[in-house]
Amino acid sequence: MAEYLASIFGTEKDKVNCSFYFKIGACRHGDRCSRLHNKPTFSQTIVLLNLYRNPQNTAQTADGSHCHVSDVEVQEHYDNFFEEVFTELQEKYGEIEEMNVCDNLGDHLVGNVYVKFRREEDAERAVAELNNRWFNGQAVHAELSPVTDFRESCCRQYEMGECTRGGFCNFMHLRPISRNLRRQLYGRGPRRSVSLLYPKTGSEHHPKTSA
């Protein structure tokens, strides 16, 4: 019996533990989920909840109407965001093996940034310190994540351009960075940068600082 329970842990057959939380570190039901969300006490991976804001989803004019942002502008904005966050986290906390950003629209996944460190102790320290920080005028909410294999978390149909659920799919739609930035970030060690994650002081209004 124990072997059977171990074999189905975190799968759809598991009636006790939430398979979605186990696979993607988030669940659309949140605290209302009928199954357990087993939050890890140690992990290489942290998640920064709802940190990335896609300008195509948020850009509005003064009268509240939607403002068009081109795909080129969005990619440039995203690459800048990715480089800023990756560089500072690696410099402050340790080597990053992988960083992924969700481009989903569901509340439980939108803008989530998953960072997998090489060492669990680096991830633990990052969570402890980042929860006292602000980024771009919003409080940072960081926690350890059970996700270590992003191949199990991603929507394969999205990667092939065939997902019919769109932004509200319950599996990760990971936004890619440009090839040049990927070579630049994953082919180098930490470098010095201007701090972009501000200590919390009771006010969430901080100027945007360039790297």
Side-chain angles (χ1 to χ4, degrees), residues 52-102:
Y52 172 65
R53 295 179 178 177
N54 187 328
Q56 284 183 325
N57 299 333
T58 59
Q60 290 185 334
T61 60
D63 63 2
S65 60
H66 191 72
C67 179
H68 176 71
V69 182
S70 71
D71 291 342
V72 173
E73 290 173 315
V74 170
Q75 189 63 47
E76 182 179 358
H77 172 272
Y78 176 65
D79 280 355
N80 288 337
F81 165 86
F82 195 103
E83 182 178 13
E84 289 170 356
V85 174
F86 184 102
T87 301
E88 181 163 349
L89 295 185
Q90 180 158 261
E91 176 190 318
K92 287 189 173 181
Y93 304 114
E95 183 180 346
I96 293 173
E97 289 189 355
E98 190 174 356
M99 178 168 134
N100 293 296
V101 180
C102 289

Side-chain angles (χ1 to χ4, degrees), residues 8-205:
I8 66 170
F9 180 83
T11 69
E12 284 78 4
K13 293 181 180 179
D14 189 340
K15 302 302 181 184
V16 177
N17 302 287
C18 178
S19 62
F20 271 105
Y21 184 80
F22 182 73
K23 287 180 180 178
I24 66 175
C27 169
R28 65 189 177 93
H29 298 295
D31 295 335
R32 303 187 310 275
C33 184
S34 61
R35 301 183 185 184
L36 295 178
H37 292 177
N38 289 297
K39 296 191 175 185
T41 55
F42 55 88
S43 176
Q44 289 175 261
T45 306
I46 70 171
V47 57
L48 308 175
L49 299 171
N50 312 128
L51 191 69
Y52 172 65
R53 295 179 178 177
N54 187 328
Q56 284 183 325
N57 299 333
T58 59
Q60 290 185 334
T61 60
D63 63 2
S65 60
H66 191 72
C67 179
H68 176 71
V69 182
S70 71
D71 291 342
V72 173
E73 290 173 315
V74 170
Q75 189 63 47
E76 182 179 358
H77 172 272
Y78 176 65
D79 280 355
N80 288 337
F81 165 86
F82 195 103
E83 182 178 13
E84 289 170 356
V85 174
F86 184 102
T87 301
E88 181 163 349
L89 295 185
Q90 180 158 261
E91 176 190 318
K92 287 189 173 181
Y93 304 114
E95 183 180 346
I96 293 173
E97 289 189 355
E98 190 174 356
M99 178 168 134
N100 293 296
V101 180
C102 289
D103 209 20
N104 302 65
L105 295 175
D107 290 342
H108 61 301
L109 285 175
V110 61
N112 284 1
V113 177
Y114 292 82
V115 185
K116 183 179 179 182
F117 290 92
R118 187 173 68 83
R119 303 191 310 167
E120 290 177 350
E121 51 265 42
D122 294 339
E124 183 178 10
R125 186 162 60 93
V127 166
E129 294 186 11
L130 288 171
N131 277 313
N132 295 312
R133 299 279 176 166
W134 295 91
F135 179 80
N136 258 7
Q138 64 185 104
V140 175
H141 298 288
E143 60 185 47
L144 293 175
S145 171
V147 180
T148 54
D149 185 351
F150 288 91
R151 293 171 299 179
E152 293 294 320
S153 311
C154 296
C155 173
R156 293 180 178 86
Q157 286 77 19
Y158 172 75
E159 293 175 346
M160 295 185 292
E162 300 175 355
C163 181
T164 59
R165 299 179 181 88
F168 292 97
C169 178
N170 284 318
F171 285 94
M172 292 183 188
H173 287 189
L174 299 182
R175 187 172 186 88
I177 55 176
S178 62
R179 288 183 181 180
N180 287 339
L181 182 59
R182 179 165 293 279
R183 285 196 296 266
Q184 178 185 339
L185 294 179
Y186 290 102
R188 74 179 186 199
R191 68 170 173 84
R192 293 186 62 80
S193 66
V194 176
S195 178
L196 296 156
L197 298 165
Y198 299 90
K200 287 183 180 175
T201 60
S203 172
E204 61 182 53
H205 299 292

